[in-house]
Amino acid sequence: MQALLKPVRVKLLSVSIALGLTSTAHAGEDEVRKAMEAFIGAPAVESVSQTPYGGLYEVVLKNGQLVYTDEKASFIVDGSVIDTATRRDVTRARLNQLSAIDFSTLPLDQAVKVVKGKGTRVIATFEDPNCGYCKRLGKEIDAMDDITVYTFLYPILSEDSTQKSNNIWCAKDQGKAWTAWVVNGKVPAKATCDTSVITRNVELGQSLRISGTPTIFLADGSRIGGYVPAAELEKAMDSVKR
């Protein structure tokens, strides 16, 4: 949003707002879209929809950002809407919905596979070898059971990240090399092979708007951005299973 609005000096309402009221707006979604794009100065709006709370319109930008405005686009709210009745963060829930994918379309042959126990519960992750939170996640997963993890090596932090990704991908036992690094800090041995898959992973991650690691996808395609402890990941996987 900041990049899109850079030519215009404006104050955004960057706040979390709690709304329990509903309101009927009169302007159409097309009018809101036109007003927002006129303000931004570019065709940057992906979708507009009226919400059932506070007379707000949800505006999803093409960069994946979600903001709110009124029927006249006289203000922009960049923050979370909280349902006071349920204490539910409806913005976060909506972002998770918008960022979900079709899990079956992931090219799992481009990922490092690690199976714990029976491995009936499946997730996919995008991780940079030098990401501190990825290492924390790796330790959590290492202590879990009945899980299959497909890790897409996604080196976005440094050249060393790319080198480590290449060495892990070219290792005789990719899963063992990855686990040894993220859990025990054992630097992957130098190895050579066709590493074009790493480039394809970066392109894939960019197409999925993955800007940080780790990013986790559950079997139903829902996305978890960032590190989560084992207990939270277990709960999320079990909810998909049900």
Side-chain angles (χ1 to χ4, degrees):
M1 184 70 175
Q2 291 177 348
L4 289 171
L5 303 183
K6 192 174 181 180
V8 184
R9 298 188 66 183
V10 63
K11 286 186 177 180
L12 293 182
L13 302 179
S14 297
V15 295
S16 294
I17 55 177
L19 298 171
L21 304 176
T22 59
S23 174
T24 302
H26 302 290
E29 293 169 0
D30 287 342
E31 285 79 3
V32 173
R33 176 192 291 271
K34 291 176 183 177
M36 283 292 295
E37 291 190 336
F39 171 72
I40 294 171
V45 176
E46 184 169 298
S47 67
V48 176
S49 57
Q50 186 177 358
T51 75
Y53 36 82
L56 296 177
Y57 282 79
E58 170 196 285
V59 180
V60 179
L61 302 180
K62 291 180 180 178
N63 67 358
Q65 217 172 340
L66 188 158
V67 296
Y68 301 94
T69 189
D70 66 341
E71 62 184 33
K72 297 180 180 179
S74 57
F75 62 83
I76 298 172
V77 177
D78 179 14
S80 294
V81 173
I82 310 298
D83 186 323
T84 55
T86 63
R87 298 182 179 272
R88 180 171 177 257
D89 185 335
V90 295
T91 302
R92 172 49 53 192
R94 180 66 173 136
L95 282 170
N96 288 343
Q97 182 184 33
L98 288 169
S99 62
I101 65 169
D102 181 349
F103 193 94
S104 66
T105 64
L106 288 175
L108 299 181
D109 60 327
Q110 293 179 198
V112 174
K113 182 179 180 181
V114 174
V115 180
K116 305 283 292 181
K118 294 181 179 180
T120 60
R121 301 179 300 176
V122 179
I123 64 171
T125 67
F126 282 73
E127 305 188 52
D128 184 300
N130 288 325
C131 158
Y133 281 105
C134 296
K135 295 175 184 177
R136 289 182 62 183
L137 178 64
K139 290 179 173 64
E140 296 283 340
I141 290 175
D142 191 54
M144 296 171 66
D145 192 23
D146 188 22
I147 181 173
T148 296
V149 183
Y150 290 95
T151 298
F152 289 84
L153 298 170
Y154 191 56
I156 58 175
L157 296 179
S158 66
E159 286 187 20
D160 182 66
S161 296
T162 300
Q163 187 59 53
K164 283 191 173 73
S165 295
N166 290 345
N167 289 336
I168 290 169
W169 182 254
C170 294
K172 291 182 179 180
D173 189 328
Q174 297 172 339
K176 185 177 180 179
W178 170 254
T179 301
W181 166 242
V182 294
V183 176
N184 301 314
K186 183 178 179 180
V187 178
K190 290 184 179 180
T192 57
C193 68
D194 180 0
T195 57
S196 59
V197 66
I198 305 300
T199 301
R200 295 199 299 275
N201 284 353
V202 172
E203 293 171 349
L204 173 63
Q206 291 172 343
S207 73
L208 296 175
R209 293 175 177 169
I210 296 174
S211 57
T213 56
T215 294
I216 304 168
F217 289 101
L218 303 178
D220 66 350
S222 57
R223 177 186 313 223
I224 301 175
Y227 161 82
V228 291
E232 188 174 334
L233 183 56
E234 292 271 9
K235 184 177 180 181
M237 290 190 300
D238 288 343
S239 67
V240 171
K241 204 173 181 180
R242 289 195 295 270

